[in-house]
């Protein structure tokens, strides 16, 4: 992610160079035509009108290109202002509440299966087809795959929704919150794993939780570009959860609850961020870190 500002600066520089070349080419190509139009003896009245019309059309076209380039350059400069907060969309709390309905239902389903021993055992017998580990499922690696996708996407011009300084607490906060809840539940439930090992930390699944944290972050940061980005992230996370049951490392209730914890924890962190952003932008608060020789600090101001 640290390479994104460098790439943006290079893109802006290339854009400016291209604009300069276009301007030089325009004056070189059309300067003589404008002079020729000014000489009434060399052109008829009809030819003069046609030349003026073509020249005006080209000028308008160049103006539109320049305008779009200026807007794009302004947007890139706005993105480079990586320390500032942005005003969240209206009714953002309602948006997170709506998106939390599905994971809350999944958590309820997982807890329901946890309380029904016969159902839990039957599901395990039907799903643990890879308990001998004959087929590699790469669940250890794929739980971080959505984050890897998020690192690659900016290289193709798809910048994340939030700036770098804000991505750090968003990503780390989501992982820390979800992991903390998972470890606390593991310690208090001390549930045995289905594979007969002497490990009593089955509920909930940490792999599933981390995979869905990564998928939800990918959804929040890049989902606006295409729904397939979100679908791909959640598909990878679902595969990780399924693999944990197929390998007989977890019960179905473990992975369902773990997936819900990862998703809901990330929603909560993003909701908290939007609340803080709304507070800073609505109350005219400004926040800006700075570096000086031998140290640094934070600039905070309030306008009223």
């Amino acid at each position: 992610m640290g390479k994104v500002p460098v790439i943006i600066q290079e893109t802006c520089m290339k854009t400016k160079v291209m604009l300069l070349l276009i301007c030089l080419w325009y004056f070189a190509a059309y300067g003589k035509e404008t002079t020729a139009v000014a000489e009434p003896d060399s052109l008829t009245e009809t030819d003069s009108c046609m030349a003026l019309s073509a020249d005006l059309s080209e000028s308008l076209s160049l103006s539109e290109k320049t305008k779009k380039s200026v807007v794009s350059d302004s947007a890139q400069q706005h993105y480079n202002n990586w320390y500032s907060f942005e005003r969240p969309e209206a009714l953002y709390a309602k948006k997170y509440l709506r998106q939390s309905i599905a994971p809350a239902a999944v958590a309820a389903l997982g807890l329901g299966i946890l309380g029904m021993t016969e159902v839990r055992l039957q599901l395990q017998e039907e799903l643990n087809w890879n308990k001998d580990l004959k087929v590699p499922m790469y669940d250890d690696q794929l739980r971080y795959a959505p984050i890897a996708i998020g690192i690659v996407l900016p290289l193709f011009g798809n910048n994340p929704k939030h700036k770098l300084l804000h991505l750090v607490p968003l990503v780390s906060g989501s992982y820390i919150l979800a992991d903390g809840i998972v470890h606390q539940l593991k310690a208090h439930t001390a549930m045995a794993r289905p594979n007969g090992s002497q490990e009593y930390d089955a509920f909930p699944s940490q792999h599933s939780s981390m995979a869905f944290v990564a998928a939800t972050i990918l959804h929040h940061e890049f989902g606006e570009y295409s729904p397939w980005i979100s679908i791909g992230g959640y598909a990878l996370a679902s595969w990780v959860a399924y693999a944990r049951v197929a390998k007989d490392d977890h019960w179905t209730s473990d992975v369902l609850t773990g997936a819900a914890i990862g998703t809901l924890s990330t929603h909560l962190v993003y909701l908290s961020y939007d609340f803080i952003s709304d507070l800073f932008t609505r109350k005219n608060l400004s926040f800006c870190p700075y570096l000086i020789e031998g140290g640094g600090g934070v600039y905070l101001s309030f306008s009223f």
Side-chain angles (χ1 to χ4, degrees), residues 106-225:
V106 170
L109 178 61
L111 293 173
I113 295 174
L114 179 65
M116 296 182 289
T117 306
E118 293 183 3
V119 175
R120 180 160 51 87
L121 291 173
Q122 184 178 356
L123 286 172
Q124 198 66 24
E125 290 178 1
E126 294 177 357
L127 296 176
N128 65 353
W129 58 271
N130 197 28
K131 58 184 177 182
D132 296 329
L133 306 180
K134 293 181 179 180
V135 179
M137 305 190 80
Y138 304 104
D139 47 307
D140 288 333
Q141 295 80 15
L142 290 178
R143 58 179 161 167
Y144 301 113
I147 292 295
I149 294 174
I151 294 175
V152 172
L153 283 174
L155 301 179
F156 297 92
N158 297 327
N159 293 316
K161 182 178 180 181
H162 295 97
K163 304 179 183 71
L164 178 61
L165 182 66
H166 303 296
L167 275 176
V168 173
L170 283 170
V171 174
S172 59
S174 299
Y175 273 106
I176 291 172
L177 178 60
D179 202 44
I181 295 173
V182 166
H183 280 284
Q184 287 297 317
L185 288 175
K186 283 179 178 291
H188 284 85
T189 57
M191 187 174 178
R193 291 178 180 265
N195 55 17
S197 63
Q198 298 301 314
E199 299 179 31
Y200 296 92
D201 58 351
F203 182 84
S205 167
Q206 195 261 1
H207 278 69
S208 301
S209 177
M210 296 297 99
F212 274 86
V213 166
T216 307
I217 291 173
L218 183 69
H219 165 69
H220 283 309
E221 296 299 330
F222 299 95
E224 294 181 355
Y225 288 106

Side-chain angles (χ1 to χ4, degrees), residues 4 62 89 109 112 122 190 304:
V4 175
L62 181 65
E89 62 184 69
L109 178 61
Q122 184 178 356
F304 56 90

